Amino acid sequence: MVRSPQYISNNTKQPTGYMENSISYSAIEDVQLLSWENAPKYCLQLTIPGGTVLLQAANSYLRDQWFHSLQWKKKIYKYKKVLSNPSRWEVVLKEIRTLVDMALTSPLQDDSIHQAPLEIVSKLLSENNNLTTQDHESIIVAIAPLLENNHPPPDLCEFFCKDFGKCPRLRLFTQEYILSLNELNAGMEVVKKFIHSMHGPTGQCPHPRVLPNLVAVCLAAIYSCYEEFINSRDNSPSLKEIRNGCQQQCDRKPNLPLRLLHTSPDLVSQEATLTESRLKPVIVTSNEIHVEVERNNTANQKMTAGVGNDSEPNLIDCLMVSPTCSTMSIELSAQADRILGCYVEILKMLSDYDDWRPALASLLQPIPFPKEALAHEKFTKELKYVIQRFAEDPRQEVHSCLLSVRAGKDGWFQLYSPGGVACDDDGELFASMVHILMGSCYKTKKFLLSLAENKLGPCMLLALRGNQTMVEILCLMLEYNIIDNNDTQLQIISTLESTDVGKRMYEQLCERQRELKELQRKGGPTRLTLPSKSTDADLARLLSSGSFGNLENLSLAFTNVTSACAEHLIKLPSLKQLNLWSTQFGDAGLRLLSEHLTMLQVLNLCETPVTDAGLLALSSMKSLCSLNMNSTKLSADTYEDLKAKLPNLKEVDVRYTEAW
């Protein structure tokens, strides 16, 4: 509606001044700029039923703004009317294209200029459920230019939220559309705005399928970059053969698209005689891909020991970079290189959204990329940003996805560890991953065992360079008796004593070990109750005052202890009954207890802040026969899981919980 501008009537019987009644946009038949001689300055002429109205502005700029705004409103009204009752879809599509062109060429600078056409099309899609997929795609293609800098309305988002697995043409269209955005002058900035528009302006994206669809588009595009190499696999070793070391390689034809070179004494002696030119990066074409593989003595022994069993060897271990060979590089075409850069950059953008990061980590956990991509230095170097974002996220649901999706498979942790094909930073990312995983992983001993078996060398090297996380790891390996070999223990001790931080932490470990021996020495009470209001420090002070090797029953009920006291509780070798009623003992402490106090029989967690995350860890405490979870955050599903996994459990209290 046009309201209250100053007007001059061209009918002398009508007064001039300010309009008393509004004029609806639908009533305006025409809008013109007055240009004849002696016409009133800065005026517009509106033609309406029954006459005309002259609108006078204060200056030419304001007059032009009125003119274009009225033209815009008049045309928008027309398109709303035309598209509200569609009859022939080819006509509708033509009108939509005209509407988009009008929005793109309008001199008006306002968000609603582009948003209004999107709302009209959104309403059209919502009111016509019988459209075919082809009709949908044609409409989206027509309005695509408006989506670059504007958040799509709900119905358009619903289009992008369709299952791309069931609609591959939609995925292909989105893939090509993003590439076309990247070809514009602003390049990735335009793509970034598009991703932001799909996420929405709030902290939480309201459309759950947008992220999986964007990831599907990225994976398909990245796969296409290596398709030429993948298609040349016909005579190459299979994935299983690569994991098994290609032991039947000699039976194959000589020209293999993928060749694995194993380190052996003969090979090492041959490599020692190679010229300097042999050390230049290998340029890989579509005809042949060389993967240089290093096998140290430990890895050779592990592979030999694994022959004949059913477990799959590690793929990432087969893609290790030999120190005598330069890093492999793959030469992509210029177009494939642009596509790769665009879609890896999108994965980086997706990892920057806090609400998307958990789902993104879960989607990428299985490493859904072709092996050629994992062997491509540029790809793994660019993707490193995404992995770093996972490693920096304090949420366990995010950083736990750095580990393999299941036993026997490889994860990003292995890929970006020293010796892995993607490691290019001397272990800084590896140290970050270890730090975050150790902070939340309740299976500490299992994780330490894995590090000791597979990554002890890198851990010692980083500790030698003063990395505090790795110094802590080596101390924990000694404290938990992870290392059985005496020579290896001595080497770890020498490594710790070579730096100031290592020397200090090793001295603290020795002091703890002396206290532990005294604590675990046979003798002392069999039952102990701490006074109410006692703290973690009080418990630590008490346990350091004598021998508690005979302590079987400990009550900390109604004290102020927290999960921090768990590190002292796990040192009580004879403990069978533990009462934590009405304390602040939480999930982190439960995880530690479940790993060390496997002989515990009675546990009281009544009125503690424990949740399913910690209670699930109790499934490893097979000796439990009495468990009180009264007034905790126990769920019914977790309760059923515990009952199934604790065969000796006879007394259970779940009152005032969801499981009650």
Side-chain angles (χ1 to χ4, degrees):
M1 307 289 282
V2 180
R3 298 180 183 274
S4 301
Q6 186 176 7
Y7 78 97
I8 304 171
S9 174
N10 63 345
N11 187 334
T12 57
K13 295 182 180 180
Q14 294 290 336
T16 63
Y18 290 91
M19 296 172 58
E20 295 180 359
N21 299 315
S22 60
I23 300 174
S24 65
Y25 289 109
S26 59
I28 300 175
E29 297 175 354
D30 192 20
V31 182
Q32 292 182 359
L33 291 169
L34 291 188
S35 58
W36 65 78
E37 191 176 353
N38 298 324
K41 291 184 68 176
Y42 316 133
C43 282
L44 293 178
Q45 178 176 287
L46 306 185
T47 303
I48 59 175
T52 60
V53 176
L54 299 183
L55 301 180
Q56 187 174 39
N59 51 57
S60 60
Y61 174 80
L62 184 57
R63 179 201 61 194
D64 292 344
Q65 190 176 35
W66 283 0
F67 175 72
H68 290 297
S69 297
L70 289 169
Q71 289 275 37
W72 168 258
K73 287 288 189 180
K74 184 172 175 294
K75 291 179 180 177
I76 281 292
Y77 177 79
K78 169 202 164 185
Y79 285 113
K80 281 184 178 178
K81 187 175 181 180
V82 170
L83 296 177
S84 63
N85 296 301
S87 55
R88 296 168 53 197
W89 281 104
E90 58 272 16
V91 176
V92 169
L93 194 58
K94 183 179 179 181
E95 293 292 343
I96 290 175
R97 292 191 181 112
T98 307
L99 174 62
V100 170
D101 289 339
M102 182 188 72
L104 294 175
T105 56
S106 173
L108 297 173
Q109 300 295 320
D110 190 90
D111 291 342
S112 63
I113 300 302
H114 288 176
Q115 199 66 33
L118 292 177
E119 297 292 347
I120 293 174
V121 175
S122 176
K123 184 178 179 182
L124 175 70
L125 293 175
S126 65
E127 293 178 351
N128 293 273
N129 298 322
N130 57 343
L131 290 178
T132 65
T133 301
Q134 181 65 44
D135 291 333
H136 266 101
E137 290 184 21
S138 299
I139 292 173
I140 297 299
V141 170
I143 66 167
L146 298 181
L147 293 173
E148 293 175 13
N149 301 311
N150 298 276
H151 178 60
D155 294 293
L156 293 184
C157 284
E158 187 176 344
F159 165 81
F160 284 103
C161 291
K162 290 179 181 292
D163 188 349
F164 279 12
K166 298 178 181 177
C167 307
R169 295 183 72 250
L170 302 186
R171 177 191 56 73
L172 187 59
F173 157 70
T174 307
Q175 182 177 327
E176 294 298 327
Y177 173 64
I178 291 175
L179 283 178
S180 67
L181 293 183
N182 189 44
E183 294 298 324
L184 298 176
N185 290 336
M188 289 308 301
E189 281 302 315
V190 181
V191 176
K192 187 175 182 179
K193 289 180 180 178
F194 171 74
I195 298 298
H196 180 70
S197 74
M198 296 307 302
H199 177 275
T202 63
Q204 293 286 331
C205 177
H207 308 287
R209 282 222 54 88
V210 166
L211 177 66
N213 283 342
L214 287 174
V215 173
V217 168
C218 291
L219 295 180
I222 292 171
Y223 183 91
S224 70
C225 296
Y226 300 94
E227 199 159 12
E228 186 179 2
F229 304 105
I230 295 168
N231 290 337
S232 67
R233 286 183 189 172
D234 294 340
N235 196 42
S236 67
S238 66
L239 192 59
K240 184 175 182 180
E241 288 173 316
I242 292 173
R243 287 175 172 156
N244 289 328
C246 288
Q247 301 196 9
Q248 304 300 323
Q249 187 174 350
C250 57
D251 298 330
R252 290 184 165 273
K253 297 177 183 179
N255 295 324
L256 295 179
L258 179 65
R259 186 168 69 225
L260 299 178
L261 306 178
H262 297 277
T263 300
S264 64
D266 294 334
L267 182 58
V268 172
S269 64
Q270 293 172 14
E271 288 176 343
T273 62
L274 293 177
T275 61
E276 186 175 354
S277 61
R278 174 68 177 82
L279 300 178
K280 294 181 179 179
V282 181
I283 303 298
V284 181
T285 66
S286 59
N287 296 325
E288 182 170 82
I289 297 177
H290 296 270
V291 179
E292 311 265 0
V293 179
E294 177 196 16
R295 291 280 180 187
N296 56 27
N297 291 335
T298 305
N300 276 327
Q301 292 169 4
K302 287 174 65 178
M303 179 168 283
T304 304
V307 173
N309 62 26
D310 296 330
S311 61
E312 287 192 49
N314 229 314
L315 169 61
I316 304 303
D317 285 344
C318 294
L319 291 176
M320 296 179 68
V321 181
S322 171
T324 58
C325 304
S326 191
T327 305
M328 184 195 72
S329 61
I330 292 180
E331 187 177 8
L332 297 176
S333 66
Q335 181 182 3
D337 196 61
R338 285 196 302 273
I339 294 174
L340 180 67
C342 173
Y343 284 98
V344 174
E345 197 65 31
I346 290 176
L347 289 176
K348 293 181 184 179
M349 295 176 192
L350 299 180
S351 70
D352 285 333
Y353 289 93
D354 288 341
D355 61 315
W356 273 352
R357 202 175 300 128
L360 178 64
S362 178
L363 290 169
L364 297 186
Q365 186 179 14
I367 313 186
F369 300 103
K371 59 187 178 184
E372 287 78 4
L374 300 180
H376 187 192
E377 182 183 11
K378 179 179 179 180
F379 172 75
T380 54
K381 190 172 183 178
E382 291 296 320
L383 195 67
K384 181 180 175 181
Y385 176 87
V386 178
I387 307 306
Q388 183 74 55
R389 296 292 283 159
F390 295 164
E392 293 169 352
D393 198 301
R395 292 170 292 184
Q396 186 176 2
E397 59 183 322
V398 177
H399 58 248
S400 62
C401 291
L402 295 169
L403 300 173
S404 58
V405 69
R406 62 180 182 273
K409 297 295 182 181
D410 301 300
W412 295 113
F413 180 75
Q414 288 81 10
L415 184 63
Y416 282 91
S417 297
V421 69
C423 183
D424 62 351
D425 59 3
D426 292 331
E428 284 84 357
L429 178 56
F430 170 67
S432 298
M433 292 191 289
V434 170
H435 177 76
I436 194 74
L437 289 169
M438 280 296 296
S440 65
C441 182
Y442 70 89
K443 295 184 177 179
T444 306
K445 288 184 72 173
K446 184 178 180 180
F447 186 63
L448 288 173
L449 279 168
S450 174
L451 287 177
E453 291 175 0
N454 303 303
K455 301 296 177 184
L456 183 58
C459 289
M460 292 176 65
L461 178 60
L462 290 170
L464 193 63
R465 294 173 178 172
N467 185 284
Q468 186 166 339
T469 297
M470 292 306 159
V471 170
E472 294 175 0
I473 290 295
L474 294 183
C475 287
L476 285 172
M477 288 181 179
L478 293 176
E479 186 170 4
Y480 291 169
N481 295 318
I482 300 296
I483 307 297
D484 295 327
N485 185 280
N486 187 58
D487 290 337
T488 305
Q489 290 180 357
L490 293 175
Q491 187 176 355
I492 290 176
I493 294 171
S494 299
T495 301
L496 292 172
E497 292 182 332
S498 64
T499 62
D500 292 338
V501 63
K503 187 180 298 183
R504 184 180 70 254
M505 295 185 75
Y506 180 62
E507 289 173 355
Q508 294 171 353
L509 170 62
C510 292
E511 182 63 27
R512 290 199 304 272
Q513 293 292 78
R514 284 192 290 271
E515 293 174 356
L516 180 62
K517 287 183 179 179
E518 178 61 25
L519 172 68
Q520 294 183 341
R521 189 164 55 85
K522 289 297 182 182
T526 58
R527 300 174 64 90
L528 181 64
T529 300
L530 252 67
S532 62
K533 308 301 181 182
S534 297
T535 64
D536 296 328
D538 296 327
L539 176 63
R541 194 178 298 112
L542 177 64
L543 293 180
S544 64
S545 64
S547 302
F548 292 91
N550 291 343
L551 186 61
E552 296 182 356
N553 188 320
L554 175 62
S555 176
L556 302 176
F558 306 104
T559 65
N560 293 331
V561 298
T562 67
S563 294
C565 74
E567 63 180 78
H568 304 293
L569 299 178
I570 62 175
K571 298 172 183 177
L572 299 171
S574 303
L575 192 62
K576 296 180 181 178
Q577 300 181 36
L578 178 61
N579 188 350
L580 294 168
W581 187 2
S582 193
T583 64
Q584 292 304 306
F585 198 88
D587 293 336
L590 272 190
R591 290 167 180 160
L592 196 57
L593 294 186
S594 67
E595 193 170 4
H596 294 270
L597 297 183
T598 55
M599 301 306 294
L600 199 66
Q601 297 176 2
V602 179
L603 179 60
N604 189 343
L605 297 171
C606 180
E607 297 181 6
T608 59
V610 295
T611 68
D612 285 347
L615 292 169
L616 280 171
L618 298 180
S619 59
S620 63
M621 304 177 76
K622 304 300 182 183
S623 298
L624 273 180
C625 55
S626 176
L627 181 59
N628 188 337
M629 296 176 285
N630 185 320
S631 303
T632 64
K633 295 180 181 179
L634 171 72
S635 70
D637 290 341
T638 298
Y639 178 48
E640 294 300 323
D641 187 72
L642 288 175
K643 286 197 300 183
K645 293 180 179 179
L646 296 175
N648 295 318
L649 196 60
K650 298 175 182 177
E651 297 179 6
V652 185
D653 188 347
V654 294
R655 288 175 296 172
Y656 308 107
T657 68
E658 184 186 306
W660 189 27

